[in-house]
Amino acid sequence: MNTLAALLPDGTLVTDPDILAGYRQDRALDPDAGTALALVRPTTTEQVSTVLRWAHERRVPVVPRGAGTGLSGGATAQDGALLLSTERMRAITVDPVTRTAITQPGLLNAEVKRAAAEHDLWYPPDPSSFEICSIGGNAATNAGGLCCVKYGVTNDYVLGMEVVLADGTVVRLGGPRLKDSAGLSLTKLFVGSEGTLGIITELTLRLLPAQPRQSTVVATFATLEAAIAAILAITARLRPSMLEFMDAVAINAVEDELRMDLDRTAAAMLVARSDAPGEYAVAEAALMVAACENAGAREVFSTEDPEEGEAFTAARRFAIPAVERKGTLLLEDVGVPLPRLGELVSGIADIAARREVLISVIAHAGDGNTHPLIVHDPQDADETARAHLAFREVMELAIALGGTITGEHGVGRLKKAWLPDQLGPDVMALTRRIKDALDPHGILNPGAVL
C-alpha cells in the first residue's frame, strides 16, 4: 500500500477500517461482502489510471463504486480488493450550443439536472433515486427511471466518455456529436458494463430543451386485471411521458407515511403524465382518462396543476422506501414485453401466495419494467429462505415470459446466477471473450455479472 500511497495525493488512499466498513456494501446489502484492502478516492482521470496500472501489475482486484445506491450488489467489497470510489470526481460543464454536458462520474443525477436547467436544458433519465445516485453509476448500470417510456434510458444520452482500462490505458470514445458512425460502437459497450470492462471517468451527455409542462392522470382500480388493461390501452394509443403502477401494498405503505388520502382499498393505482406541447397534453390526458374509465377504473383524477402532479409522482418515487419500512427487501427488477405484463404481475402474486411472503409490485408500467419488492424478516430463517425462493422464481418467471432479469438495476452479484438462463451459452461465451480481451487478469469488479 505504501507504494500506491506514494503515487497519489495525500488523503486519496484510505486504510482506516472504520471508514472501509462504510463502503463494504451498496444498497443491495449483499451478505457476502468482503473486506477491502483499501479505499481510493481519486479526483482525476490520471489518478484512476495510476491506481489501475499499479493494480494491473500486481494482480490486485479493483471494485469501482459510485454513490453506493446500487440494488444488485455491483459495488460489493471483495476480500483483498481495492475499492475505487468516484465520489470526489465532480466537475461539470454545460454547452448550450451543442446541448451537451461534460461531467465527471461523481455528480449526482439531480446535480446534472440542475446544471442543465441553468441553461433551460434537461437531462431526462430519472431513476427514483435521482437525488442520491451518481451519474457514473447510472452509466455503469444503464439506469432508467420514470420517464423512460417516452425518453429512453441512460444509454440513449451518452454521446461520449473517457474510460480507464484495466491496465491503466486511458481512451476517449465518442464526443459531442449527435451523429458519429466511425468505428465500432464502443461507447455503447461500456454503458451498462458495471465496471467490469473499464472505469468511466468522464461522460459527454446529450441534453434536451426543458421539459414542457405536464398534465397528470391518476386512476385507481378494484382489480389488477383492470389496471393492466388500462396500461395496454394507453400504450396502444400514445406514448405518455410517464406511466407508473403501484399495487395495494405500495399504496398503503405510501399512505402510511405521506398521508395523501390515497384509496387504501384499491388493488392498483396508475400515475400517468403527458408532456405533449400545448393543448396536445390535455388531449393526451383525456385519452388516458378514457382508457382508464373504459378498463373499469374505480376513480380517475386529472390535473394540469404542476404541484398536484408532482405530488403524485413523489408518492410513486417514495414507494420503495415506504415498503422497506415493513421489513428487509429483496428488490427485483424484472421486465417483460408489454403484452405479457399481466402474466408477470399475476404470476408474481401466485409466487407470493405459494411461498407465503409479502411481495409488493411497483412498475414503470409503460415499458414493462417491474420492481417486485419481496419483504422478509432476516431474523426469521424460514421466512428468509422462502423469500429467496420467491426471488429466484420471479426471475425464472420473467425469463419464461420472454423478459429480462434486470431492466435498469444491473446484474451485479445478486443476479449473475440467472444471466446464463436469459442470454444462453453462446452469448455468455461472447461476453466472456470481450471481458478477457479488455481485462485479461480479471481485476475489474471480480464476481460481478460473470
Side-chain angles (χ1 to χ4, degrees):
M1 284 294 96
N2 290 337
T3 57
L4 180 57
L7 297 171
L8 298 168
D10 290 345
T12 303
L13 183 72
V14 179
T15 57
D16 184 323
D18 291 335
I19 296 177
L20 290 180
Y23 288 79
R24 287 185 69 239
Q25 299 169 306
D26 56 19
R27 197 178 170 195
L29 300 178
D30 184 350
D32 297 324
T35 301
L37 187 65
L39 168 69
V40 187
R41 293 182 290 197
T43 58
T44 67
T45 296
E46 291 73 20
Q47 291 170 16
V48 175
S49 177
T50 296
V51 172
L52 288 184
R53 278 199 310 272
W54 183 92
H56 181 77
E57 291 169 359
R58 293 162 178 78
R59 312 293 196 266
V60 176
V62 179
V63 176
R65 177 187 173 93
T69 60
L71 293 165
S72 62
T76 302
Q78 303 296 291
D79 288 336
L82 290 176
L83 279 170
L84 192 151
S85 171
T86 60
E87 64 190 295
R88 292 183 174 179
M89 304 183 73
R90 296 182 44 78
I92 186 170
T93 59
V94 175
D95 182 355
V97 176
T98 60
R99 291 182 183 168
T100 58
I102 297 177
T103 178
Q104 287 186 304
L107 260 75
L108 303 181
N109 180 292
E111 292 174 317
V112 173
K113 290 183 185 297
R114 285 197 291 271
E118 291 176 4
H119 301 272
D120 294 322
L121 296 172
W122 177 43
Y123 178 69
D126 62 338
S128 292
S129 59
F130 78 105
E131 293 176 318
I132 57 173
C133 63
S134 72
I135 198 68
N138 289 176
T141 59
N142 195 21
L146 278 66
C147 73
C148 294
V149 58
K150 182 172 184 177
Y151 289 101
V153 296
T154 302
N155 191 42
D156 297 305
Y157 294 88
V158 176
L159 295 174
M161 63 175 62
E162 192 170 63
V163 184
V164 183
L165 303 181
D167 64 357
T169 300
V170 179
V171 294
R172 183 171 291 279
L173 307 172
R177 301 174 291 274
L178 296 181
K179 295 176 70 176
D180 186 350
S181 59
L184 300 179
S185 184
L186 296 178
T187 302
K188 304 301 182 185
L189 178 64
F190 285 92
V191 176
S193 64
E194 302 188 46
T196 62
L197 303 181
I199 297 179
I200 298 170
T201 58
E202 182 183 282
L203 290 160
T204 301
L205 303 174
R206 179 168 66 99
L207 305 177
L208 299 183
Q211 189 178 27
R213 182 169 173 164
Q214 299 191 80
S215 294
T216 304
V217 174
V218 181
T220 56
F221 300 84
T223 66
L224 293 175
E225 292 77 12
I228 298 298
I231 292 166
L232 296 179
I234 290 170
T235 55
R237 294 287 304 276
L238 53 91
R239 182 171 292 182
S241 56
M242 185 172 72
L243 181 53
E244 295 292 306
F245 169 94
M246 295 167 58
D247 72 358
V249 175
I251 293 169
N252 280 274
V254 170
E255 181 62 17
D256 286 343
E257 303 297 329
L258 300 185
R259 305 297 180 183
M260 295 179 61
D261 199 25
L262 301 179
D263 183 355
R264 288 186 177 273
T265 66
M269 182 172 80
L270 296 184
V271 181
R273 306 188 84 174
S274 170
D275 65 356
E279 293 302 312
Y280 288 106
V282 177
E284 285 194 353
L287 285 173
M288 291 191 285
V289 167
C292 292
E293 291 176 341
N294 292 338
R298 175 185 289 174
E299 183 179 7
V300 184
F301 168 76
S302 180
T303 180
E304 296 175 52
D305 184 284
E307 292 186 4
E308 283 185 322
E310 192 54 39
F312 283 102
T313 301
R316 163 57 188 87
R317 291 188 190 278
F318 189 64
I320 292 177
V323 174
E324 195 169 21
R325 297 184 186 186
K326 295 182 175 295
T328 298
L329 297 186
L330 294 176
L331 202 155
E332 287 273 17
D333 167 38
V334 296
V336 292
L338 264 179
R340 311 206 73 172
L341 181 60
E343 294 174 78
L344 178 63
V345 173
S346 62
I348 291 170
D350 291 342
I351 291 170
R354 185 169 64 252
R355 296 302 176 192
E356 298 181 332
V357 292
L358 179 66
I359 304 180
S360 176
V361 177
I362 59 177
H364 307 307
D367 53 30
N369 184 193
T370 68
H371 297 315
L373 314 176
I374 305 170
V375 184
H376 70 102
D377 178 0
Q379 303 304 315
D380 185 333
D382 182 64
E383 184 178 71
T384 298
R386 286 184 278 110
H388 281 276
L389 281 174
F391 185 86
R392 181 191 73 194
E393 290 172 348
V394 168
M395 283 191 285
E396 291 172 347
L397 173 63
I399 294 171
L401 294 173
T404 177
I405 61 173
T406 175
E408 58 186 6
H409 292 168
V411 174
R413 291 174 174 81
L414 301 188
K415 292 191 170 189
K416 68 176 185 176
W418 292 273
L419 188 62
D421 294 336
Q422 179 180 332
L423 299 185
D426 292 339
V427 175
M428 287 299 297
L430 176 60
T431 303
R432 170 56 67 183
R433 286 165 62 188
I434 294 169
K435 166 70 170 173
D436 290 344
L438 293 175
D439 182 17
H441 300 318
I443 69 167
L444 284 177
N445 216 3
V449 183
L450 293 170

